[in-house]
Amino acid sequence: ALKYADIGMLLAKKMNWSRAINTFNTCYGTIYSTKGMYDTVMFFYRQSLAISVKEKDSVNITVAYNNLGSTAFAKGDFVDAANYFMLTLKISEQINYNHLRGIALENIGNVYYYQKDYNRSLNYARQSLQVRQEDKDEEDFVSISLKLIGMNYTGLKKYDSSKKYFDAGLAMCRRFGDKSGEAIILTNYEPKH
C-alpha cells in the first residue's frame, strides 16, 4: 500500500494537484493507522485538513476532522476525539451531509459509551439512528446505530431493551448480508434474563 501511495503522491505533487495530494495524505493516514503509528497518522490527517481548509472544501474538512477524531479515539484521548467529532457534526449539519452526520453522532456516542456515560451515549446513538432512518441512502448503516443503542441498554442493565435493539440490528445486517456487522452485534449481545 505504501508503495502505491508513494507513486500516487509523487505524481500528484508533480501535477501540483492539491485534491489528489489531499487524498494521498488520507491514504497514508489510513496505512499508518493499521500499523498503530498514531502520531504519524495525525501528521497526515492534519496535512489533509490544512489542504481542505485552504481549498474551502467543506466535505473533506469534515472527513479530516472525523479521521482525526477516530485516531484520537484509538489513542484513548477521548477529549480530543469528542472535540474532533463535534466539529465533524457541526460542519456536516451546515452542509447537510447526512452520511457524515450519522457517523459523527455515532462516534460521539462511542466516546461517551467507553466512558460509561450510557445515557449521554444513548442520546447520540438515537440521533444517529434517526438521521440514518430518515435518509434512504443511509439504510445500510442503521444496524450500527441499533447496535450502539443495544450496548448502552446493556450498560444500563435494561436487558429487554438491549435485546430489542440487538435483534433489530441483526435483522438489518441479515437483510443486507452484512456478516461483519452481524458478528459485531452477536459479540456484544448479552441477553441476561
Side-chain angles (χ1 to χ4, degrees), residues 44-55:
F44 284 109
Y45 287 160
R46 284 186 183 115
Q47 293 293 317
S48 179
L49 177 61
I51 292 169
S52 298
V53 168
K54 183 179 176 189
E55 298 289 321

Side-chain angles (χ1 to χ4, degrees), residues 113 150 154 159 162-163 166 185-193:
Y113 175 80
T154 298
Y159 301 113
S162 176
K163 182 181 181 326
F166 283 143
I185 289 174
L186 288 170
T187 300
N188 287 285
Y189 198 97
E190 298 181 38
K192 297 179 182 172
H193 301 289

Side-chain angles (χ1 to χ4, degrees), residues 9 17-28 48 51 60:
M9 182 62 93
W17 186 9
S18 63
R19 186 164 271 219
I21 293 167
N22 188 2
T23 298
F24 285 107
N25 276 320
T26 300
C27 184
Y28 281 124
S48 179
I51 292 169
N60 281 315

